[in-house]
Amino acid sequence: MTRPLIRNLVCSVVLLVALDGAVQAQSPPAVAALPDFTGIVQSNAGAVVHVEAKYSGKSRMSGASGQDLPDDEQDLLRRFFGMPMQPSPADQQRISVGSGFILSKDGYILTNNHVVEDADSVTVRLQDRRSLVAKVVGTDPKYDIALLKVTAGAPLPAVTIGDSRALKPGQWVLAIGSPFGFDYTVTQGIVSAVGRNLGSQDQPYTSFIQTDVPINRGNSGGPLFNLQGQVVGINSQIYSSTGGYQGVAFSIPIDVAMSAVEQLKTRGYVSRGMLGVMVQGVSADMVKGFGLGAETGAAVTSVEPGSGAEKAGLRAGDVILSFNGTAIDQASDLPPLVATTKPGSQASVVIMRGGKRQTVPVTITELPRDKNGVETASSSQAKSGAAALGLTVQEVDNAARKSLGLQAGEGVVISNVNGAPAAQAGLQAGDVILMVGQTRVGSVAQFRAATAEVKPGETVLLLVRHGDTTGFVGLTLPSK
């Protein structure tokens, strides 16, 4: 009675041993350990600085302190900013904080333009807690970079510049900066995408590095490192519907920035190439009409008289497929390529015209400085109207309108903060502007009309939806 049972048990044991061996044989190789960033931080933290820019004038709240607002509006400000509305002098200083990094031992420092734009004074704090007064050598709003210079009396630690063109999605990257004022905070993640154009009218010439590195307010201008400890980008923006980090961050490629740095040092401004065309994306309807194979390329809508494009024979209706050997997948791919092309050089432009591909040589001219808004620290002039507020707005799409609980024709969303007034007021991309003064706005045209008469030195009161909170924000324009 017991012998068959013993035989079955033995067979079972043999079978289990065999199965276990098979499982082990099919097991995947051990996963490599996560990278250790300790060495990168120890080698480079000393070259990262805290940047502080001061602006004299009225408070970022309405008027000098918000005391001239009705009680109910003051209450909104208290809840929106989480701070009491106490009186302050009319000449109260406003402070912008960000990050930066030392490029060379003689004290050149790189940061974002929006950190220091229009500031009356700029100081940087080093890792050893020294504070040094910084001179703004030059700025470029279109790339959102600013070059500073400090005198330390001794050689300073400097970063090593890498090659952002070698980055690939999936690679590890590391950020060091001062989010919320916490100096030398280290965060890490991976490259999510490269060559990401945000379609912004304020930064049409930048193809960003997209990462999932946690970036927050105060990280702006700080370095993005690769695993070799080289700087490959400048942390610049986040994409957020709440104002806080939501997993998507954007950095300016260091190759673009360093090209601009050399120009700021030598001439005080950044020169860009100009093709001389206006373009738009290719829609599904255009594919058949233009004889294209897919919705790729940039459709020419107009050609500027006297430009290199006109002299080369480009015309409205042409579809640009590639520029100097680089394919144009969408219209926003073209401006960054043209901008970095040296004026006076010849570019090879492949177009589709009448269903046939053609290669057209075009001489690139220089983009006039008044068309790209480039200013140096010494030539900055007062602005008026919507541009002076330091932000860009766009229409609120139906999905966002529904999620925010907005009615049809209510509000415009901030797509980019690119100037000191909006940055100092704490406005962020994703905030929704409901009113300008006493005027409700529901479109970009209405917003521009409501801000058209704003003059330097004036304060504009905006009703802003920030996440689940709505409150008034006062923007005081620089008077000089």
Side-chain angles (χ1 to χ4, degrees), residues 92 108 168 229 322 389 394 399 413 417 448 478:
Q92 176 186 358
Y108 280 101
K168 294 180 174 58
S322 74
L389 301 181
Q394 65 185 37
V413 65
V417 174
R448 289 175 178 168

Side-chain angles (χ1 to χ4, degrees), residues 55-134:
Y55 305 79
S56 62
K58 294 183 178 181
S59 164
R60 69 186 66 178
M61 305 299 180
S62 174
S65 63
Q67 295 298 304
D68 54 339
L69 297 176
D71 290 343
D72 58 339
E73 293 183 7
Q74 288 192 43
D75 183 59
L76 280 174
L77 284 167
R78 288 190 189 95
R79 286 185 287 155
F80 188 57
F81 288 98
M83 59 185 294
M85 295 303 299
Q86 298 177 350
S88 59
D91 62 348
Q92 176 186 358
Q93 287 189 323
R94 298 170 295 165
I95 299 176
S96 168
V97 295
S99 305
F101 52 98
I102 303 171
L103 293 174
S104 56
K105 294 180 179 181
D106 56 351
Y108 280 101
I109 295 172
L110 196 56
T111 187
N112 281 147
N113 171 69
H114 73 256
V115 173
V116 301
E117 186 177 26
D118 296 327
D120 297 297
S121 64
V122 180
T123 59
V124 299
R125 187 166 66 243
L126 308 181
Q127 190 180 33
D128 60 13
R129 312 311 293 174
R130 281 185 295 166
S131 290
L132 303 176
V133 176

